[in-house]
Amino acid sequence: MLAIYVHQHGETTCADQVNPAWLAPESDVTLWVDLAAPTPEEGRLLADVFHFHPLAVEDALSEIHHPKIESYEGYLYLILHGMDFQEEEHWFATHDVDFFLGRNYLVKVHDGHSRSIVKVTAICDEHDRVLAEGPVALLHRIVDSMVDSYRPEIEELEEHMNVLEDQAILGRRADLVRDILGLKRDLASLRRVVIPQRDAVGRLARREFPMIGDEMAYRFRDVYDQFVRLSDEATLFQDRVTGILEAHLSTISNRLNQVVKVLTVMSTIFLPLTVLTGMWGMNIRLPAFPGGEAMQFWWVAGCMASIAAVMLALFRRNGWI
């Protein structure tokens, strides 16, 4: 889907197509072109009208690329990512958002699933001043909105982590390793996305590019600080998940030790009892207990019970059970 917003003479209007005159050096038009899941015909707009570099166009129309920023003659090419975490399906995904920033235009290419872009588009429909601030301010507004949308996703990840931590400590689930490793994979994906974005936005904040003025550099510095906090949280979350996995494995090991201890106690108790039953079960004459032949079984059973009781008392006294 193609959306074109044109700001001229203090008003923002929508257009059906891009007029090449708007891109002339003397033009006073501010242009925002939004390509949401573009068709091949809409994608040709990038090369035929804006004359972007073929490699940048190829990257923009492909599905997944790592965040980065590149400077071309007359414009900047920026790749950032939106984030989506579905806790019920335990599914973590990122969405590419590609920006072409020129002197008086901003071209954005995405898959149509970005909530922050929808929010900024709604603001543009209501307020003319959004585009009046210029394409750099519009880029900052979109990027800042994208970073703000990370916060609820991070909170969902943290809540999911808290649930896994409680389950690991209680030891009620033996199949918890799959969920823990899945969360660890999600956090690795989060770091892989956040850290390059932090570096890309940091270059905007350091005023490496002439079209980024001092005022906008200060604004991007605030966004950069948010990315720094996100990357730090992602690192802390990974360490925490590692601790959860270790706690879960420790719980399983302790449970196994308890089972082994019980089995060992039972085997130790039955060892002398087996000796008694083996001796008195031999087909030879043995010393008899008092009371005649009918009482021999009860004497042997009483000895076995006494031995078991004494051994249990010794085990409990030594703290083994």
Side-chain angles (χ1 to χ4, degrees), residues 90 176-186 241 245:
H90 189 60
L176 200 61
V177 174
R178 181 187 299 272
D179 292 342
I180 295 176
L181 293 179
L183 181 59
K184 194 176 182 67
R185 182 178 61 251
D186 291 340
V241 169
L245 180 60

Side-chain angles (χ1 to χ4, degrees), residues 13 28 43 65 76 88 97 119 139 146 188 195 201 239-240 244 262 276 290:
T13 58
D28 61 348
H65 274 86
L76 296 177
E88 295 181 358
V97 182
K119 182 169 65 175
L139 174 64
M146 290 176 62
I195 293 178
V201 174
D239 294 340
R240 186 177 171 188
I244 293 175
V262 171
L276 286 178

Side-chain angles (χ1 to χ4, degrees), residues 100-114:
F100 294 89
L101 176 65
R103 179 189 63 85
N104 66 329
Y105 63 81
L106 178 66
V107 180
K108 179 166 47 61
V109 184
H110 58 100
D111 59 4
H113 296 290
S114 177

Side-chain angles (χ1 to χ4, degrees), residues 163-180:
V163 173
L164 291 180
E165 190 173 38
D166 293 339
Q167 293 175 344
I169 294 174
L170 295 176
R172 295 177 179 176
R173 286 183 55 190
D175 60 341
L176 200 61
V177 174
R178 181 187 299 272
D179 292 342
I180 295 176

Side-chain angles (χ1 to χ4, degrees), residues 248-276:
H248 175 64
L249 296 178
S250 177
T251 301
I252 293 178
S253 178
N254 290 337
R255 184 185 301 173
L256 178 62
N257 291 338
Q258 291 295 329
V259 173
V260 171
K261 183 172 68 174
V262 171
L263 295 177
T264 302
V265 169
M266 293 177 61
S267 301
T268 305
I269 291 175
F270 275 93
L271 181 62
L273 306 186
T274 304
V275 172
L276 286 178

Side-chain angles (χ1 to χ4, degrees), residues 8 17 48 52 59 127 132-133 175 179 216 219 222-223 234 241 247 262 268:
Q8 190 175 22
Q17 59 184 2
D48 296 343
F52 294 138
D59 289 347
H127 304 286
E133 295 176 348
D175 60 341
D179 292 342
M216 296 311 305
R219 298 187 187 183
D222 178 70
V223 179
V241 169
V262 171
T268 305

Side-chain angles (χ1 to χ4, degrees), residues 137-151:
L138 178 61
L139 174 64
H140 167 264
R141 189 182 292 271
I142 295 175
V143 174
D144 186 56
S145 180
M146 290 176 62
V147 178
D148 290 340
S149 66
Y150 269 57
R151 179 50 53 190

